[in-house]
Amino acid sequence: MVEFLADTSTSTEAIAIVGMSCRLPHAENPAQLWQLLRDGRSAIGAPPAGRPELLSRPGGYLEDVSGFDAGFFGVSPREASSMDPQQRLMLELAWEALEDARILPSDLADSRTGVFVGVIADDYAALTRQHGVEAITRHTLTGLNRGVVANRISYTLGLHGPSAAVDTGQSSSLVAVHLAVESLRRGESAMAIAGGVNLNLVPDSTVGAERFGALSPDGLSFTFDARANGYVRGEGGAFVVLKPLHAAMADGDPVYCVLHGSAMNNDGTTEGLTVPGPAGQQDVLRQAYERAKVSAEQVQYVELHGTGTKVGDPVEASALGAVLGDGRADGAELRVGSVKTNVGHLEGAAGIVGLLKTALCIRHRELVPSLNFETPNPDIPFDEWKLAVQRGLGAWPRPDEPLYAGVSSFGMGGTNCHVVLSDRRTESAAEEELPGAESGPGAVPWVVSGKSAEAVAGQAERLVSFLEERPQLDVAAVGRSLAVSRARFDHRAVVVGETREELLAGVRALAEGMPAAGVVSGRAVPGGAGKTVFVFPGQGSQWQGMALELFDSCPVFAAR
């Protein structure tokens, strides 16, 4: 007789987004992305100097795609030059996403952490081939293989979970998130890093999109607008760090938002290979919300695939109207928008950017404007389908209710994906935010480290920018985070001060390489061996009440 194990699947378990990172046009990190979105700014512009002209087309471009600290990741300069910049960028973003989640990358060695990356572009491979067989080296095979975009992260960090590059066309990065969520729910992964990347490095790929008829001749995406005539290309990359919600709560992780359900399918046979199908899009929406156990009227916002094309926009709108618009009360229209109007269409990385935007809207409890919307598309009956484009910065329609939102991403070959998010409080009304540290009187240390003295200065410079944007942060909480949630490297510095102003002055001096009171820099001795610093022989001056001030001001000292 064959005995089957009991089903231990957690297929409906909520998944928390506990960290994120991005490198996008005019946005080097999630904080800058949020400011760009909140301000309603467009990052579309001319190609930066030094790039191929790319037909001089406007787009969402990164200023620098060549910079990479190879030594930090143990990569030789020769190998780094053969690596697709998409590999290099995603290595950096994986590290930054883990730091944002307050997870030491070294703590993940030998863990079942999965890596899922949406990547469809191979511009660097095309660029390499232009130089003939002489450009092929022993590192070319791994440097240009798209699967290695994910595999190199697993190798560098010593991760034993699934490691996969995903290509479903323009839906790739959101499908990567869907696959990561399913892996977590099956117990295959204990944690996952999921995202996508897209870099536009040669004119060929832009020529292909133009001749296909996908690009807007105006160089803007007019999502759901009467002027919709194609999209504008964008580039960059982003990651989210995912954990089962119960594990995130147990570990005290920061939670941006909660992912309740997701689904993917394909349109099957339509009027053409690249013509979207209303039935397929309706089906993926229904599946996602059924799995999330969320009703249509609960959904307040959907981040559209929203390319701004004549065919695609009305089909997407009709699916939303059929699934989420039907039965909505008057005045309770579903708000919609598209981040493509800000940064362009990142193609294989488009879905993850929409996910980041929505997660930030949930985290900050604000909806941001979708740009370039003036005259409603006449092929979209907004009132009938109960849809409304989010045109300005504002509160959620029903801020006192759970903030449920969806994110859509569709591939040109018909592979659709949709995920359902919410704020964390929907899990339990009794949940409370973990208390932050409070600084008392006395000195506070801020620790910075790097693999070189220059890296320490760079970290200090970024720390200054971070703190200047967040004047409300408690100095002791910052000190604790720097001490326990950042990797420790040989080159180190500590800034000591009693006030925010003193500490910031010290960090600025460190960034500028200038000496300052309260700043000590040095290099740790490899292996931990070193000279004795202090010896306490048990003799000398003692007095009644010695260290009483420290007992009163330092809870750690008092507890010990």
Side-chain angles (χ1 to χ4, degrees):
M1 184 177 67
V2 178
E3 293 185 2
F4 294 94
L5 294 175
D7 183 10
T8 58
S9 170
T10 55
S11 59
T12 61
E13 180 173 10
I15 304 299
I17 296 178
V18 299
M20 59 175 65
S21 63
C22 68
R23 196 87 82 251
L24 298 169
H26 296 193
E28 293 285 304
N29 53 55
Q32 291 183 12
L33 173 61
W34 175 246
Q35 200 58 53
L36 176 84
L37 297 171
R38 198 173 186 277
D39 293 346
R41 288 185 283 120
S42 170
I44 306 303
R51 292 281 202 103
E53 289 189 7
L54 299 174
L55 303 179
S56 298
R57 273 190 170 277
Y61 297 103
L62 300 183
E63 285 298 318
D64 177 27
V65 296
S66 61
F68 178 62
D69 189 349
F72 182 89
F73 292 103
V75 177
S76 71
R78 183 169 297 182
E79 182 174 11
S81 67
S82 297
M83 289 169 59
D84 188 329
Q86 295 180 135
Q87 281 191 34
R88 306 198 297 246
L89 176 60
M90 294 314 270
L91 262 180
E92 295 174 342
L93 290 178
W95 188 280
E96 291 175 17
L98 291 170
E99 283 199 329
D100 185 61
R102 304 176 195 168
I103 296 170
L104 295 179
S106 58
D107 289 347
L108 298 181
D110 301 325
S111 68
R112 285 186 293 108
T113 298
V115 181
F116 301 82
V117 184
V119 52
I120 68 175
D122 59 358
D123 283 24
Y124 198 66
L127 195 61
T128 301
R129 294 189 199 102
Q130 290 176 8
H131 293 84
V133 294
E134 293 78 13
I136 299 174
T137 73
R138 64 187 300 266
H139 301 298
T140 301
L141 182 63
T142 55
L144 300 183
N145 188 297
R146 280 183 290 178
V148 178
V149 175
N151 301 159
R152 196 179 288 273
I153 295 169
S154 300
Y155 168 78
T156 302
L157 301 181
L159 311 178
H160 291 303
S163 184
V166 179
D167 185 352
T168 60
Q170 290 74 11
S171 58
S172 296
S173 61
L174 201 63
V175 169
V177 173
H178 167 75
L179 296 176
V181 167
E182 293 302 306
S183 181
L184 289 166
R185 287 175 168 168
R186 289 194 304 269
E188 181 181 63
S189 299
M191 189 176 81
I193 309 168
V197 63
N198 189 72
L199 295 180
N200 305 319
L201 305 177
V202 293
D204 306 43
S205 55
T206 298
V207 172
E210 180 189 47
R211 293 183 180 174
F212 178 71
L215 300 186
S216 166
D218 300 302
L220 292 172
S221 295
F222 299 104
T223 302
F224 278 26
D225 190 89
R227 297 167 292 170
N229 58 2
Y231 66 81
V232 57
R233 300 189 81 198
E235 65 179 7
F239 266 131
V240 291
V241 180
L242 303 168
K243 292 177 75 172
L245 181 60
H246 78 273
M249 298 302 297
D251 294 340
D253 294 325
V255 175
Y256 281 92
C257 65
V258 177
L259 197 154
H260 294 277
S262 61
M264 67 176 288
N265 70 359
N266 191 275
D267 286 336
T269 303
T270 62
E271 295 180 9
L273 173 63
T274 62
V275 177
Q281 291 188 18
Q282 289 180 34
D283 180 60
V284 81
L285 291 169
R286 289 194 178 97
Q287 285 190 57
Y289 289 101
E290 286 172 3
R291 293 176 183 177
K293 296 180 172 57
V294 174
S295 64
E297 59 271 15
Q298 288 179 286
V299 185
Q300 300 192 44
Y301 176 80
V302 166
E303 175 64 19
L304 303 166
H305 180 62
T307 50
T309 58
K310 291 182 179 180
V311 175
D313 281 9
V315 170
E316 182 172 9
S318 70
L320 289 170
V323 178
L324 299 179
D326 188 35
R328 299 182 81 92
D330 291 336
E333 291 82 8
L334 176 69
R335 304 292 180 90
V336 297
S338 174
V339 72
K340 293 176 179 63
T341 62
N342 300 93
V343 298
H345 187 354
L346 269 71
E347 299 169 358
I352 189 65
V353 181
L355 182 67
L356 255 66
K357 170 189 170 181
T358 310
L360 290 168
C361 285
I362 291 173
R363 176 72 173 269
H364 294 281
R365 307 188 70 79
E366 287 184 310
L367 292 177
V368 294
S370 189
L371 308 184
N372 309 327
F373 183 80
E374 295 178 2
T375 305
N377 189 321
D379 295 326
I380 301 176
F382 287 88
D383 293 339
E384 178 185 343
W385 291 344
K386 303 293 177 64
L387 303 176
V389 174
Q390 180 68 27
R391 303 180 67 172
L393 178 69
W396 286 67
R398 302 183 300 279
D400 295 333
E401 298 179 15
L403 306 183
Y404 283 109
V407 182
S408 290
S409 194
F410 308 137
M412 70 176 180
T415 296
N416 309 310
C417 188
H418 190 83
V419 302
V420 183
L421 308 173
S422 82
D423 52 345
R424 198 188 73 185
R425 64 176 179 167
T426 60
E427 292 305 303
S428 170
E431 284 179 6
E432 295 181 0
E433 294 288 342
L434 292 175
E438 295 183 0
S439 58
V444 174
W446 284 357
V447 181
V448 181
S449 73
K451 289 195 173 183
S452 65
E454 294 77 14
V456 172
Q459 289 279 42
E461 184 177 355
R462 285 188 287 273
L463 182 58
V464 169
S465 298
F466 177 84
L467 293 167
E468 286 179 341
E469 294 170 358
R470 298 166 177 82
Q472 78 283 2
L473 288 181
D474 180 85
V475 295
V478 173
R480 183 181 186 279
S481 180
L482 289 171
V484 304
S485 64
R486 290 293 181 272
R488 293 179 290 276
F489 301 109
D490 289 348
H491 291 266
R492 302 175 186 178
V494 60
V495 178
V496 180
E498 294 191 2
T499 66
R500 185 177 189 277
E501 290 71 25
E502 289 178 358
L503 289 158
L504 265 176
V507 177
R508 288 193 187 97
L510 182 62
E512 296 166 2
M514 302 296 292
V519 180
V520 179
S521 300
R523 185 174 184 182
V525 178
K531 296 179 180 179
T532 302
V533 178
F534 295 115
V535 174
F536 297 95
Q539 302 178 30
S541 300
Q542 293 87 31
W543 61 93
Q544 186 174 2
M546 186 174 67
L548 186 60
E549 295 87 351
L550 190 60
F551 187 88
D552 291 335
S553 64
C554 181
V556 175
F557 179 83
R560 295 293 292 179

